[in-house]
Amino acid sequence: MGIVKISDLMHENLRVAGNALSRSINAQAEHWMRVGMLTEMHPELNHREICQLLIRAELAGGLDIAMAVSGEFGKPGASLAGKQ
């Protein structure tokens, strides 16, 4: 684990969003980083599809960069059934 320096404004944005979504500041930052990473790797996916990808990855044991790059969990329209 490392230290990431962010601006005061971003920290406040994380605090507000985290409170609104019942997440800690760190959990909110990690969520935004995951969504951002997947959005850059899969620009063809919309927010709903990114969220589905995150759920499938979690059911498979968690998201790692190899899964994100391979597109294994990034196929639009892939069913969540059978992945549990």
Side-chain angles (χ1 to χ4, degrees):
M1 185 170 20
I3 295 174
V4 176
K5 294 183 180 186
I6 61 172
S7 69
D8 290 340
L9 178 58
M10 180 56 72
H11 189 272
E12 181 62 13
N13 291 337
L14 287 164
R15 187 190 65 73
V16 170
N19 284 341
L21 299 170
S22 300
R23 294 181 181 134
S24 69
I25 291 172
N26 287 347
Q28 185 64 41
E30 189 168 336
H31 173 72
W32 281 350
M33 285 188 276
R34 272 194 228 104
V35 170
M37 177 184 74
L38 292 170
T39 300
E40 286 185 350
M41 293 180 170
H42 299 283
E44 73 282 2
L45 300 179
N46 64 34
H47 186 259
R48 179 185 57 81
E49 292 165 330
I50 294 287
C51 290
Q52 289 175 345
L53 188 152
L54 287 168
I55 292 168
R56 287 193 298 274
E58 185 63 27
L59 290 171
L63 179 67
D64 67 33
I65 194 80
M67 279 192 265
V69 170
S70 73
E72 180 179 347
F73 294 104
K75 297 178 179 124
S79 172
L80 292 177
K83 298 283 186 182
Q84 300 175 3

